[in-house]
Amino acid sequence: MIMTKKGLGASVKRKEDPRFLTGLGQYTDDIEKPGTLHLAILRSPHAHARILNIDTTKAKQLDGVVAVVTGEEALDYYGPLATTINISNNVPEIYAIAYKKVRYVGEPVAVVAAVDRYVAEDAVDLIEVEYDPLPVVVSVEDALEPKALLYEEWGHNIQLEWKTTIGDIDDAFAKATYVFEETITHNRYTGTPMESRVCIADYNPATKHLTVTCSTQSPSQVRTLIAQTLRMPEHNIRVIAPDVGGGYGTKLQANAEIIPCVMSRILGRPVKWTEDRVENLLSGMHSRDYSCTLKVGLDKDYRILGLKAKLIGNIGVDGTCQGPGTPALLVAAAYFPGPYKIPAYEAEVLGVVTNKGPYGAHRGYGKDIANYPVERMMDIMAQKLGISPVEIRRRNFIGKDEYPYEQISGPIYDSGDFQRLMDIALEKVDYHDLKKKQQEWRKQGRYIGVGMAAMLEPSGAAVFNGVFNGYQPATVRMTPEGGFQILTSHQNIGQGVETTLPQIVASVMDVDIDDIRLVYGDTDVTPYGLGPFSSRGATYTVSAVYEAAKKLKDKILKIAGHLLGADPQDLEMVNGHVRVKGVSSHEASISLKELGNKVYLWPGPYGTVPKGVDCNLECTYTWTSEVVKWVPDEHGRVNLYTTHPTGVFVAVVEVDVETGQVKINKFIVSHDSGTIINPMIADGQIAGGIAHGIGGVLLEDLAYDRNGFMVNADFQSYLCPTAMEVSDIEIHHIECPSPFTPLGTKGMGEGGAIPSPAAVANAVEDALEPFGVRVKDLPLTPERILEWINKGEVNHGRS
Amino acid sequence: MKPAPFEYLAVNSVSEAVTALQRYGPNSRIIAGGQSLMQEMNLRQTRPAFLVDINGIKELDYIRETANGLAIGALTRHRTVERSELVQKICPLLQEAVKHIAHFQIRNRGTIGGSLSHNAPGAEYGVVTRLLDAEIVAVGPDGERIIPAEKFFIGHFKTDLKPAEMVTEVRFPALSKETGYAFLEVTRRHGHIPIVSTAATLRLNPDDTVKEAHIALGNVSSKGVPYKVKAVSRLYGQKLTQDVLADLAKAIEAEVDPDPHADSEAVFVKQFSGITSRRVSELSSATYRKQVSSALSCRALNIAFQRIKGGI
Ligand SMILES: Cc1cc2nc3c(=O)[nH]c(=O)nc-3n(C[C@H](O)[C@H](O)[C@H](O)COP(=O)(O)OP(=O)(O)OC[C@H]3O[C@@H](n4cnc5c(N)ncnc54)[C@H](O)[C@@H]3O)c2cc1C
């Protein structure tokens, strides 16, 4: 590998930041086409009700209103929402605007198009809807009873049911010296991107072309889903995604986006819908909200003999068409074994639909569900055995020489070294010293705790059946003037790809990254491909860009060889030139600009490009993984994730035992994501992920009451962490390159969010050991903490 | 998230404001810093038909020393109070409290008159006003009247202000040099509206026994008003020993009376699209708030004590 200052491995400052930091970015809402109408959506105030009648007369009469459309009227222009993903789940027939019945508070019921958003909202006030309320399904118990059916045609409320048993699980428990069982729950929360969803649709009745500008992670997929739902020719649809203010997985579908599309199609004018925060919290993508019962059998040396996991997820209204959330539960089932060696395994998954908002992706996508219960369980078992949480993990870690490791549940782990990660984390946090000091602090009435969680971040899912497949094309192009463009569908959602992808090409071509630009966000421009999800960038897109760049380099060397009269084998690319290896004379060298000019302009291709070489300076490569296994074996096992970053996260917290407030003092992270492209950006991803994890464990909660009303649908009551709640974060890297990607890179970006809730919960239990606190439901509100302190149910080392 | 249509009038004097409120009637509202009103309007939780903007009444933006304390104009921003040397000198407790209000961006706009008139559960200004028996000056069509804090707050988001009356000034007594004080609160997030807030003052006799002590609490009264603790009177003449404080803690737990049911009656409202929403960030149990009331109160007294002793 060629190393340049700005190439692979350098903490290059992000090329995209100057425009973001100076307010010169352009987001969808910044764009206003002439003649644009603005939409406001009437949403259901009921969690579950039949729509008896909608009267839009008064709304239509309001000055400035151009159209009011109900779910029934929209049926002439579209079909049910297309399916984003379907892995042995039940797929409902549902529409972007509710038809006949509403199934969650916030579901769209009617849409107004007006001259501006103010008038549109005034008109929404004037729509009269008659509802016939139905019994409401809020909890898993409600769903299973069933208190009511969301989709009558199913006859039940189960969207997903799946089970596998691998190895002799009964024998494992029979032989076990210790058996532990716990039920561990997690709150519902979401990604809260700073920019909510925004969509401008512009249908031209003359050309019958539809241009959709929207804040999305995956323009190509949105294009397909719109074509399928609107039943329009896909080749007449163009999706543009300008700057996107965060995604975190929540912008990987086209459900709400269908509404502006259908309105523009009806009206033949551009329409804009800007989602407000209330709409985003009610109807954007939700995640987590599960209960997981784990049963673990250990031998006398605390080695795991068997693991049983029973996962029950509260999906909400749907996680297949509205959003792609439901299979996250299956990802959890594939990854409960995590960093540990498990000889016998059983997993059972149940996903039920309820009258809560849609279930989608959110930083973690089931890997977090696999992590939190298991990493909590490791600590709970250690407490009960009276041993160290370090020791129980160490005894069960997969050894560094066992990679590639075929996990019992199917995944193949590419590389890693958990023991070393643990060593580093403990050393950096000064674990043994902290544990000693902890006793002293307790005497002074200060309750400080240390908690850890091992992290496994499967990245780059190749999901069959749907828009989350396992391929990625990239085109690398040299311009006549000798600069480069990378064209890919991999959207910039803040993760730094405008810098990291050029770093790859810079390394291959030995040019400055300022001479390379990433071009993305327009389906008319880039090859059809996937967007950033499943931390797939450094697995798929980086590999595609790398291979495409190598192909183009070969071509450039062939042309240069022809022009210099040299064997391409003897040539090298140095600092924007092609030259005979090691020779610096002018005759033995040609600049890329000169070469580009020759091919395209002076004199042009004839005589410049050698026979047999395609007369252009661009190459496309579509990267697919060699290790993906789609066909389930007799146990239903597949291998969908190519790379697996790993880590050990340690949180140090202090709890105020009189008020129950938790303060996170610091996070120490030891981390491995294979070859690192840009350490600064990698650290940023980890820190951002930890902020998400802190939000989930301490603050964020999409809370519903018994009537299915969300009680905190705004940022005054739904609490995201601010800089003040995010602790100092110290990150240490090791690099175990992946054998499954050409550069050894591993996708990363969700890793911080996966283990940090368990690390914090474990630290809180550790801090409150003298009170015998067992952490139950999240988030860790001061009130809950105090309740647990009052209860003090755990006897350490004695049960 | 756009407000319902309203008419807007900017006024430059108190009399103009009062005339306007009178003319437009019950559907009119004053807008000061807008830090509580705007969000409720944008969510269409409230739909005033007329807004009377008092930001132009420059003469309501002041902090003055008076014979027995401070007079603060209703339009004075939280940030001004936070940075005022006069407040630091005469009523440092107020400054301590105001630092806990929100984030600086909000403190730059929010006003003391707005905060008191809004009477959100737990709000810092309300607690200090009640603790110090401050006086609120209101002007209406019938002229000026002076309302003691005890009478000013009457329920969740409700005050004694009559239609067409507005707050013009708040009068705080000076804290003597010998008075110890403290302000503490429990929030779920930095700068967030508190679950429970506590303000305390303390004066000692030469032998360190309590001469005078006061504690006020926010968000613990079933009536939705800042609450002044009665049980502190048992401290008079006693030293603040662990036992005495433990005894006080028990008494406070027994005395305060948060009522989550009354709270939720008051805080759930309908907003845009007829969707039910909550006007406050937190609802917490009575048990929790009782326990925290006593813990914060004892801590506040301890801090006040240390302040007197020069420990802080
Ligand atoms: C993110 C955020 C966090 C916050 N956190 C806190 C916190 O921790 N603690 C806290 O106390 N507050 C908090 N607030 C509220 C803030 O302090 C407000 O500024 C204050 O409650 C209202 O003051 P205002 O000047 O902004 O009033 P406005 O919002 O303009 O008005 C509020 C109400 O008071 C009425 N009003 C205003 N002035 C007068 C007057 N002179 N006479 C009669 N009626 C009047 C208005 O008609 C309206 O009904 C927060 C606000 C935000 C947005």
Side-chain angles (χ1 to χ4, degrees):
Chain A
M1 192 68 250
I2 312 154
M3 288 283 193
T4 61
K5 205 168 94 258
K6 294 193 163 187
L8 202 62
S11 284
V12 182
K13 277 195 186 167
R14 304 201 322 169
K15 289 177 63 156
E16 47 269 66
D17 281 347
R19 75 172 188 276
F20 293 147
L21 297 176
T22 55
L24 292 173
Q26 190 179 52
Y27 299 88
T28 303
D29 192 52
D30 296 327
I31 298 165
E32 184 93 5
K33 298 187 183 184
T36 298
L37 295 174
H38 292 260
L39 304 186
I41 301 175
L42 172 74
R43 293 176 180 274
S44 169
H46 294 281
H48 199 192
R50 264 179 231 299
I51 301 172
L52 300 180
N53 188 45
I54 306 179
D55 185 350
T56 59
T57 326
K58 283 187 201 151
K60 281 180 177 150
Q61 284 163 357
L62 187 71
D63 246 9
V65 171
V66 177
V68 184
V69 173
T70 64
E72 191 169 352
E73 289 160 350
L75 290 182
D76 293 341
Y77 301 88
Y78 67 19
L81 288 175
T83 309
T84 63
I85 197 166
N86 176 6
I87 305 180
S88 32
N89 36 235
N90 288 311
V91 178
E93 188 183 308
I94 35 177
Y95 296 85
I97 311 172
Y99 174 54
K100 285 189 175 160
K101 134 171 169 163
V102 288
R103 296 185 178 86
Y104 66 96
V105 171
E107 183 167 0
V109 173
V111 183
V112 175
V115 290
D116 63 39
R117 179 72 174 248
Y118 292 86
V119 175
E121 292 198 10
D122 293 346
V124 164
D125 270 351
L126 297 173
I127 302 173
E128 288 162 16
V129 189
E130 243 179 278
Y131 292 101
D132 175 21
L134 295 165
V136 178
V137 177
V138 183
S139 65
V140 168
E141 294 71 36
D142 294 344
L144 294 177
E145 194 179 303
K147 239 173 106 181
L149 293 177
L150 266 80
Y151 307 102
E152 285 81 4
E153 58 279 17
W154 291 4
H156 55 74
N157 287 319
I158 294 165
Q159 183 154 49
L160 172 68
E161 196 170 9
W162 188 83
K163 188 177 173 173
T164 186
T165 308
I166 309 159
D168 194 339
I169 190 82
D170 294 332
D171 183 58
F173 282 102
K175 285 200 181 119
T177 313
Y178 308 98
V179 176
F180 299 102
E181 188 174 319
E182 286 290 326
T183 297
I184 291 157
T185 62
H186 202 295
N187 47 316
R188 194 175 188 88
Y189 85 114
T190 178
T192 62
M194 219 188 288
E195 182 202 26
S196 56
R197 294 178 294 180
V198 188
C199 181
I200 300 168
D202 186 4
Y203 179 73
N204 182 326
T207 60
K208 297 191 165 52
H209 291 185
L210 175 66
T211 305
V212 181
T213 308
C214 66
S215 178
T216 180
Q217 296 178 231
S218 46
S220 299
Q221 284 65 55
V222 165
R223 189 183 78 187
T224 305
L225 292 168
I226 289 173
Q228 291 175 347
T229 303
L230 265 73
R231 296 167 175 158
M232 278 184 71
E234 187 175 355
H235 57 273
N236 288 341
I237 304 175
R238 175 181 181 193
V239 174
I240 298 169
D243 284 334
V244 172
Y248 312 116
T250 66
K251 293 176 181 167
L252 288 167
Q253 62 284 320
N255 65 337
E257 292 76 4
I258 296 297
I259 293 174
C261 292
V262 81
M263 293 301 284
S264 182
R265 202 174 178 197
I266 292 171
L267 296 168
R269 287 174 70 166
V271 303
K272 181 196 270 190
W273 170 66
T274 301
E275 183 180 53
D276 66 34
R277 189 56 64 182
V278 174
E279 295 182 289
N280 184 263
L281 288 168
L282 289 170
S283 69
M285 297 301 118
H286 298 176
S287 75
R288 308 338 191 228
D289 200 355
Y290 62 84
S291 134
C292 178
T293 303
L294 290 180
K295 189 172 169 188
V296 186
L298 303 178
D299 71 11
K300 63 176 191 350
D301 297 322
Y302 315 129
R303 288 199 170 78
I304 300 171
L305 294 177
L307 169 67
K308 267 192 193 184
K310 183 170 180 179
L311 174 65
I312 306 179
N314 186 331
I315 287 168
V317 64
D318 170 48
T320 61
C321 305
Q322 292 275 9
T326 300
L329 302 171
L330 291 175
V331 172
Y335 280 102
F336 279 122
Y340 307 111
K341 292 164 71 161
I342 311 281
Y345 179 56
E346 184 174 289
E348 217 182 318
V349 177
L350 190 68
V352 301
V353 288
T354 62
N355 297 118
K356 295 187 183 182
Y359 208 55
H362 162 214
R363 217 167 194 171
Y365 200 71
K367 295 105 94 162
D368 54 295
I369 305 181
N371 184 277
Y372 180 74
V374 170
E375 290 303 313
R376 288 282 298 119
M377 191 69 182
M378 294 311 264
D379 266 49
I380 294 170
M381 293 192 297
Q383 289 167 15
K384 293 190 170 181
L385 292 165
I387 64 170
S388 151
V390 177
E391 195 53 32
I392 192 162
R393 287 180 171 83
R394 283 205 190 276
R395 297 218 182 165
N396 290 285
F397 277 150
I398 294 159
K400 76 172 196 303
D401 302 324
E402 297 175 82
Y403 294 91
Y405 182 81
E406 195 165 343
Q407 186 53 276
I408 183 164
S409 45
I412 298 165
Y413 298 175
D414 42 337
S415 61
D417 186 352
F418 277 104
Q419 299 287 5
R420 207 170 131 221
L421 290 168
M422 179 64 92
D423 290 341
I424 293 168
L426 295 181
E427 185 203 314
K428 298 293 178 188
V429 77
D430 213 347
Y431 185 73
H432 299 287
D433 186 55
L434 256 183
K435 292 297 283 180
K436 253 188 252 145
K437 284 191 185 135
Q438 183 179 48
Q439 302 300 329
E440 291 306 310
W441 285 320
R442 279 179 190 166
K443 283 178 205 150
Q444 301 158 22
R446 292 183 64 195
Y447 293 87
I448 292 170
V450 204
M452 64 187 63
M455 183 279 279
L456 181 81
E457 184 194 3
S459 56
V463 187
F464 47 96
N465 294 352
V467 298
F468 301 99
N469 254 283
Y471 62 88
Q472 184 71 339
T475 298
V476 178
R477 169 189 291 162
M478 197 183 104
T479 66
E481 287 285 281
F484 291 87
Q485 292 181 330
I486 305 165
L487 291 86
T488 161
S489 56
H490 198 90
Q491 184 70 21
N492 181 356
I493 52 168
Q495 78 282 50
V497 281
E498 285 180 43
T499 307
T500 49
L501 295 177
Q503 281 184 266
I504 302 299
V505 173
S507 293
V508 174
M509 305 291 183
D510 197 37
V511 296
D512 195 286
I513 65 157
D514 290 335
D515 295 327
I516 308 164
R517 180 163 75 94
L518 179 69
V519 179
Y520 62 91
D522 186 342
T523 56
D524 273 7
V525 171
T526 71
Y528 185 88
L530 301 156
F533 63 87
S534 187
S535 300
R536 65 197 296 276
T539 306
Y540 279 86
T541 310
V542 161
S543 302
V545 168
Y546 175 66
E547 295 295 351
K550 278 203 320 191
K551 263 174 84 175
L552 179 59
K553 182 181 177 180
D554 276 355
K555 196 182 225 182
I556 292 170
L557 293 183
K558 274 186 194 144
I559 297 169
H562 182 71
L563 294 172
L564 296 172
D567 185 342
Q569 304 273 345
D570 297 335
L571 299 179
E572 62 181 356
M573 290 179 80
V574 179
N575 202 13
H577 288 70
V578 184
R579 66 174 194 196
V580 177
K581 279 180 191 156
V583 180
S584 53
S585 81
H586 186 65
E587 298 78 54
S589 156
I590 182 169
S591 75
L592 293 176
K593 175 170 167 148
E594 222 179 315
L595 186 141
N597 267 233
K598 276 198 193 313
V599 170
Y600 287 118
L601 306 167
W602 295 291
Y606 303 100
T608 306
V609 177
K611 266 212 170 65
V613 175
D614 196 18
C615 168
N616 64 38
L617 293 172
E618 57 185 76
C619 291
T620 299
Y621 189 94
T622 302
W623 199 79
T624 52
S625 163
E626 284 181 8
V627 293
V628 168
K629 269 194 267 177
W630 270 2
V631 185
D633 71 5
E634 74 276 20
H635 297 295
R637 288 185 289 200
V638 290
N639 179 39
L640 305 185
Y641 291 85
T642 298
T643 60
H644 295 77
T646 53
V648 170
F649 284 54
V650 182
V652 182
V653 306
E654 178 159 6
V655 185
D656 182 329
V657 299
E658 286 182 336
T659 64
Q661 285 167 292
V662 176
K663 181 172 182 302
I664 303 177
N665 291 338
K666 64 177 162 187
F667 255 97
I668 300 285
V669 176
S670 64
H671 191 265
D672 172 19
S673 53
T675 308
I676 295 178
I677 301 162
N678 182 320
M680 180 190 72
I681 288 177
D683 286 357
Q685 286 296 315
I686 295 168
I690 289 176
H692 256 134
I694 289 174
V697 71
L698 290 187
L699 296 162
E700 298 180 55
D701 186 21
L702 294 161
Y704 283 84
D705 70 8
R706 291 299 304 155
N707 304 312
F709 295 153
M710 191 191 284
V711 297
N712 54 354
D714 57 48
F715 271 175
Q716 173 181 255
S717 44
Y718 180 94
L719 303 184
C720 296
T722 69
M724 301 300 285
E725 283 72 43
V726 179
S727 65
D728 284 347
I729 298 168
E730 190 185 307
I731 300 164
H732 304 273
H733 293 280
I734 65 171
E735 291 188 46
C736 301
S738 175
F740 301 152
T741 56
L743 292 171
T745 54
K746 299 181 178 188
M748 52 94 62
E750 298 167 283
I754 292 170
S756 38
V760 171
N762 289 340
V764 166
E765 262 182 17
D766 183 56
L768 299 178
E769 189 203 307
F771 301 93
V773 161
R774 170 71 67 242
V775 164
K776 297 270 160 83
D777 289 345
L778 302 182
L780 301 173
T781 63
E783 177 164 349
R784 285 190 174 130
I785 300 265
L786 218 56
E787 199 184 305
W788 298 328
I789 289 176
N790 293 342
K791 223 191 242 162
E793 65 178 63
V794 183
N795 286 322
H796 283 269
R798 261 168 276 149
S799 61
Chain B
M1 211 174 270
K2 303 290 180 212
F6 60 87
E7 283 183 41
Y8 170 88
L9 182 71
V11 296
N12 294 311
S13 71
V14 173
S15 64
E16 270 183 72
V18 172
T19 311
L21 291 172
Q22 234 182 330
R23 176 159 359 118
Y24 298 121
N27 265 337
S28 61
R29 290 278 284 279
I30 286 177
I31 182 158
Q35 297 304 293
S36 295
L37 185 57
M38 279 315 303
Q39 59 185 17
E40 299 198 347
M41 285 176 62
N42 285 341
L43 292 161
R44 298 197 182 208
Q45 293 175 342
T46 178
R47 299 156 185 255
F50 300 94
L51 274 195
V52 179
D53 183 345
I54 61 167
N55 284 282
I57 314 181
K58 298 290 175 230
E59 74 259 23
L60 286 188
D61 180 2
Y62 59 84
I63 300 174
R64 280 201 283 266
E65 187 167 1
T66 61
N68 40 13
L70 279 178
I72 301 184
L75 206 62
T76 309
R77 315 284 163 182
H78 307 335
R79 193 68 160 166
T80 312
V81 175
E82 180 187 353
R83 292 176 160 182
S84 157
E85 281 174 18
L86 213 50
V87 175
Q88 169 61 34
K89 193 175 94 193
I90 297 170
C91 194
L93 168 63
L94 188 61
Q95 202 156 50
E96 190 81 0
V98 79
K99 287 180 190 154
H100 288 83
I101 302 179
H103 319 283
F104 72 83
Q105 294 90 335
I106 287 138
R107 294 197 294 272
N108 279 336
R109 297 231 25 105
T111 66
I112 187 165
S115 173
L116 294 174
S117 308
H118 191 57
N119 189 25
E124 289 82 354
Y125 270 138
V127 175
V128 177
T129 318
R130 183 72 188 87
L131 178 86
L132 300 178
D133 293 322
E135 291 171 333
I136 290 109
V137 182
V139 172
D142 303 330
E144 185 180 287
R145 68 185 175 115
I146 293 167
I147 314 166
E150 188 181 357
K151 298 263 166 59
F152 182 77
F153 306 103
I154 59 175
H156 292 94
F157 302 106
K158 285 200 193 87
T159 65
D160 186 45
L161 288 177
K162 305 217 166 62
E165 237 182 358
M166 69 176 284
V167 174
T168 54
E169 185 177 282
V170 192
R171 296 175 183 164
F172 292 94
L175 288 189
S176 71
K177 286 273 165 295
E178 304 77 45
T179 305
Y181 62 89
F183 189 94
L184 294 172
E185 62 182 37
V186 171
T187 60
R188 280 192 62 200
R189 186 175 70 181
H190 171 82
H192 213 61
I193 192 107
I195 304 175
V196 175
S197 43
T198 311
T201 52
L202 175 71
R203 289 175 69 194
L204 298 175
N205 293 310
D207 63 352
D208 279 358
T209 58
V210 174
K211 184 170 174 198
E212 199 182 333
H214 300 284
I215 296 172
L217 296 161
N219 197 29
V220 300
S221 123
S222 58
K223 299 200 182 67
V225 298
Y227 182 77
K228 199 155 175 183
V229 174
K230 300 193 185 76
V232 271
S233 61
R234 70 178 57 207
L235 299 176
Y236 289 34
Q238 305 228 46
K239 283 196 175 172
L240 290 179
T241 61
Q242 295 244 343
D243 287 349
V244 167
L245 285 176
D247 185 49
L248 176 74
K250 272 201 208 109
I252 291 176
E253 263 196 71
E255 181 185 331
V256 297
D257 178 28
D259 182 351
H261 183 72
D263 292 343
S264 33
E265 294 272 286
V267 303
F268 282 100
V269 289
K270 288 246 189 303
Q271 64 183 33
F272 182 62
S273 243
I275 288 171
T276 304
S277 66
R278 193 167 74 186
R279 288 176 85 187
V280 295
S281 46
E282 292 299 322
L283 276 183
S284 53
S285 72
T287 319
Y288 178 73
R289 281 182 279 168
K290 277 167 172 278
Q291 217 173 329
V292 168
S293 294
S294 58
L296 290 187
S297 297
C298 294
R299 258 186 216 181
L301 287 175
N302 269 324
I303 294 171
F305 182 86
Q306 284 170 46
R307 271 219 164 89
I308 297 172
K309 294 291 167 194
I312 290 174

